[in-house]
């Protein structure tokens, strides 16, 4: 039994200790916003936050999560009101949408550490997130827009 927090809720999961977090989230907890992409931690579709840091959940074993806090795309807000989610919707970023939860989680991590990123900062922070549809230009614009929204929220 591994005890950890997911999206602010305590969880106790009884699964094989080597089960990847991705499958714990999807199959045991019913949180399907995090996607399976490559299974090798190379594409970024499975990105979540563990103790505030972006990680690839497809290879992260359950046994490493004892006492930790996991945030998934569902945990950013209940109503898509997080600034990054709002920017994604406002700028109609997704095409197929499959990679977007990972893109969003990487963007959130970037903006937590860099409230005014340059194009180069964005490209570097999201370089590990692959979008097969090639919406990188819209993703970059949405990160800039989310930064504006976050700065506006802090000045209000």
């Amino acid at each position: 039994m591994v005890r950890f927090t997911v999206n602010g809720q305590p969880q106790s999961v009884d699964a094989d200790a080597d089960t990847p977090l991705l499958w714990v989230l999807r199959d045991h907890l019913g949180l399907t916003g995090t996607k399976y992409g490559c299974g090798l931690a190379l594409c970024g579709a499975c990105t979540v936050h563990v103790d505030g840091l972006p990680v690839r959940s497809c290879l992260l074993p359950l046994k490493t999560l004892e006492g930790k806090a996991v945030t998934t795309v569902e945990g950013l807000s209940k109503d898509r009101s997080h600034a990054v989610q709002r920017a994604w919707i406002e700028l109609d970023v997704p095409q197929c949408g499959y990679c977007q939860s990972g893109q969003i989680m990487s963007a959130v991590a970037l903006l937590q550490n860099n409230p005014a990123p340059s194009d180069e900062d964005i490209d570097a922070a999201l370089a590990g997130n692959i979008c097969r549809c090639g919406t990188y230009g819209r993703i970059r614009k949405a990160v800039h827009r989310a930064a504006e929204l976050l700065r506006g929220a802090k000045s209000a």
Side-chain angles (χ1 to χ4, degrees), residues 24 34 37 48 52 65 80 98 103 119 147:
V24 170
T34 305
V48 299
L65 296 168
R80 299 181 184 147
Y98 200 81
Q103 300 276 2
D119 285 348

Side-chain angles (χ1 to χ4, degrees), residues 37-128:
C38 65
L40 299 170
L42 299 172
C43 74
C46 67
T47 302
V48 299
H49 295 179
V50 175
D51 289 342
L53 299 174
V55 299
R56 305 299 195 248
S57 64
C58 68
L59 293 180
L60 188 66
L62 177 62
K63 65 187 172 191
T64 65
L65 296 168
E66 184 69 42
K68 299 200 179 209
V70 175
T71 304
T72 68
V73 70
E74 294 96 339
L76 294 179
S77 71
K78 293 184 186 278
D79 59 359
R80 299 181 184 147
S81 61
H82 187 283
V84 175
Q85 293 169 313
R86 288 174 36 215
W88 247 247
I89 293 165
E90 181 182 317
L91 297 174
D92 199 22
V93 172
Q95 187 164 316
C96 84
Y98 200 81
C99 69
Q100 296 305 306
S101 62
Q103 300 276 2
I104 287 169
M105 295 306 288
S106 292
V108 167
L110 167 64
L111 293 171
Q112 286 172 343
N113 295 311
N114 183 348
S118 67
D119 285 348
E120 294 78 20
D121 296 332
I122 295 167
D123 293 348
L126 277 71

